[in-house]
Amino acid sequence: IALGFLFGGYEISDVANDIALNNSLTNLPDGGMMQYLGAILFTLGGLAFGFLVPALAGFISFAMADRPGIAPGFTAGALAVFVGGGFIGGIVGGLLAGLAAWWLNQLNVARWLRGLMPVVIIPLLASIFASGLMLLVLGGPIAWLMTALSDWLGGLTGAGVVILGVILGLMMCFDLGGPINKVAYGFATAGLSAGLAGDDRYLQIMAAVMAAGMVPPLAMALASTVLARGLFTEPERENGKAAWLLGAAFISEGAIPFAAADVFRVIPATMLGGAVTGGLSMAFAVTAKAPHGGVFVFFAIENFWLWLLSIAIGTLISAILVVVLKRFARRTPVAADVSAAPVTA
């Protein structure tokens, strides 16, 4: 999507599908080769982006029920998009599909039927159950919740805009690519089309979300490779080297190895830095017309240097805090059990 903007300009979002379907290398549009390439790239990006919610639901279900849960999860996720449930609907649909597939897999069926269970029966019945429940019962309330949330967040002005940036920053850093992170990211990307149509508030939300999501890996990289190498293990220092690039590219998961090893010190530190970054980005009125890419989509970010400043401040805060917590908030070692009496001959 970002490359589509780079090649075809920001107006490519209005004409990309038409150009991709009706033009070719031998029948270029009025804008020439650059516009044609931009349209192709934007179309490919949009199609790939459309898989996000179904893939999220599919792999939630897969985590619960293994391979029989993949198809029901993808189906429930696609239905969540259809009814307007967004990422919240995808999470709910994935959980329902996974639960149904897992339960069906526990049934003690006749031997002659076992071969059909994971291939036909479980995917079919779990899809009908999860998708039917989403369509008939849960889809409407979830869609209403998403609409109400978007209207409330999108209607904030003044100081409320900064508070919104803080909230989104906290959400982006809470689980590093998990469901809470995806709800914030989904809210930002859902408004991107309105932003490209002229409502800069949504472009500011996209910039704040991207900036905050970059803080955790960058902060862990700074702390483990520059500020306090001795407080981190050798594998963590190696992960820190990779986290520089991951953070720069807006891949929050680069901080997961650090959080997995020390969740109660890493997550609070990254959340504070992410909240500061999100609030500053909104206060600086930075806008982003690309949904991903980090510093590599600099051409799609307005007030780029202020955006970088927001990220740098949040990164420094998180890095310093995690070093302080590791140095002074040490874990209490578990005392050895010495209560047993010694064995005597």
Side-chain angles (χ1 to χ4, degrees):
I1 292 174
L3 290 173
F5 287 138
L6 177 62
F7 283 94
Y10 296 125
E11 67 279 358
I12 199 66
S13 59
D14 299 324
V15 296
N17 290 346
D18 181 62
I19 292 175
L21 289 173
N22 299 315
N23 294 91
S24 66
L25 289 173
T26 58
N27 178 31
L28 294 174
D30 294 338
M33 177 63 75
M34 295 294 283
Q35 188 184 39
Y36 178 68
L37 290 176
I40 295 298
L41 290 166
F42 186 89
T43 301
L44 289 174
L47 292 172
F49 217 64
F51 283 106
L52 278 181
V53 174
L56 173 66
F59 284 97
I60 288 174
S61 181
F62 170 72
M64 298 173 67
D66 210 347
R67 285 184 295 176
I70 294 178
F74 267 83
T75 304
L79 191 67
V81 175
F82 176 72
V83 300
F87 276 82
I88 294 178
I91 293 168
V92 173
L95 291 172
L96 289 173
L99 181 63
W102 175 85
W103 181 80
L104 289 168
N105 203 32
Q106 305 306 306
L107 296 179
N108 188 16
V109 299
R111 176 175 293 183
W112 61 268
L113 194 57
R114 290 177 190 169
L116 288 176
M117 288 293 287
V119 181
V120 177
I121 296 175
I122 294 177
L124 175 62
L125 295 182
S127 295
I128 292 174
F129 170 77
S131 300
L133 198 58
M134 283 290 295
L135 183 61
L136 300 175
V137 181
L138 299 175
I142 293 174
W144 175 85
L145 176 63
M146 287 293 293
T147 301
L149 180 63
S150 297
D151 290 344
W152 175 68
L153 293 176
L156 293 174
T157 57
V161 171
V162 177
I163 295 173
L164 172 58
V166 170
I167 293 172
L168 292 173
L170 290 170
M171 293 173 69
M172 287 298 295
C173 300
F174 177 75
D175 52 2
L176 304 177
I180 304 300
N181 173 287
K182 286 297 185 287
V183 169
Y185 183 64
F187 169 67
T189 56
L192 194 58
S193 58
L196 294 174
D199 192 339
D200 280 353
R201 291 177 304 170
Y202 291 100
L203 299 182
Q204 291 173 19
I205 290 170
M206 188 73 255
V209 163
M210 195 185 318
M214 294 167 64
V215 167
L218 290 175
M220 293 305 102
L222 178 62
S224 63
T225 65
V226 178
L227 297 183
R229 291 173 52 86
L231 294 177
F232 296 86
T233 64
E234 182 60 30
E236 285 178 327
R237 290 195 290 269
E238 289 301 314
N239 285 328
K241 296 175 183 177
W244 283 113
L245 182 59
L246 294 173
F250 178 38
I251 301 175
S252 302
E253 289 83 350
I256 286 179
F258 299 90
D262 194 1
V263 63
F264 292 110
R265 289 184 285 192
V266 169
I267 292 298
T270 58
M271 287 179 68
L272 178 61
V276 171
T277 292
L280 286 174
S281 179
M282 295 294 281
F284 292 150
V286 180
T287 61
K289 295 184 175 72
H292 213 287
V295 298
F296 300 104
V297 292
F298 61 91
F299 52 84
I301 298 172
E302 190 174 336
N303 294 329
F304 178 70
W305 295 111
L306 289 175
W307 186 71
L308 281 186
L309 178 63
S310 303
I311 296 169
I313 293 172
T315 297
L316 189 60
I317 289 173
S318 289
I320 292 174
L321 182 56
V322 79
V323 168
V324 170
L325 290 175
K326 281 182 173 290
R327 192 179 299 276
F328 298 107
R330 297 185 180 275
R331 297 172 180 169
T332 302
V334 179
D337 185 4
V338 295
S339 60
V343 178
T344 58

